[in-house]
Amino acid sequence: RDLCDPYDNLITAFELWEYNRNKYGLDPWTDDGIMRLLYMHNTGKHPSQASYTDYVNRCISFSKELVKL
């Protein structure tokens, strides 16, 4: 994939999220699950090392503004 292509980049990101969600049982519908998925996505480290950061808190606050389809 061409990670400079926005479409390919999004597909790859969601494949990584799906893999980590299945491997570690992370729930993307909870704040804790979102925090751990973001941590793994941005650092590549195991989710047990995750902690809330300003970045994660901003992402979670933005996600609360979204309307579920």
Side-chain angles (χ1 to χ4, degrees), residues 5-62:
D5 178 317
Y7 179 80
D8 282 354
N9 194 295
L10 281 173
I11 295 294
T12 301
F14 283 109
E15 285 176 347
L16 288 169
W17 275 52
E18 181 69 12
Y19 171 80
N20 287 317
R21 186 179 69 91
N22 291 332
K23 183 173 181 176
Y24 298 108
L26 301 176
D27 182 359
W29 301 112
T30 65
D31 288 356
D32 187 64
I34 292 169
M35 182 261 302
R36 293 183 186 284
L37 284 166
L38 283 169
Y39 181 84
M40 287 195 66
H41 182 78
N42 290 315
T43 67
K45 296 179 182 175
H46 193 279
S48 66
Q49 301 170 350
S51 61
Y52 282 88
T53 63
D54 289 339
Y55 169 74
V56 170
N57 288 331
R58 285 187 64 206
C59 290
I60 290 172
S61 70
F62 289 140

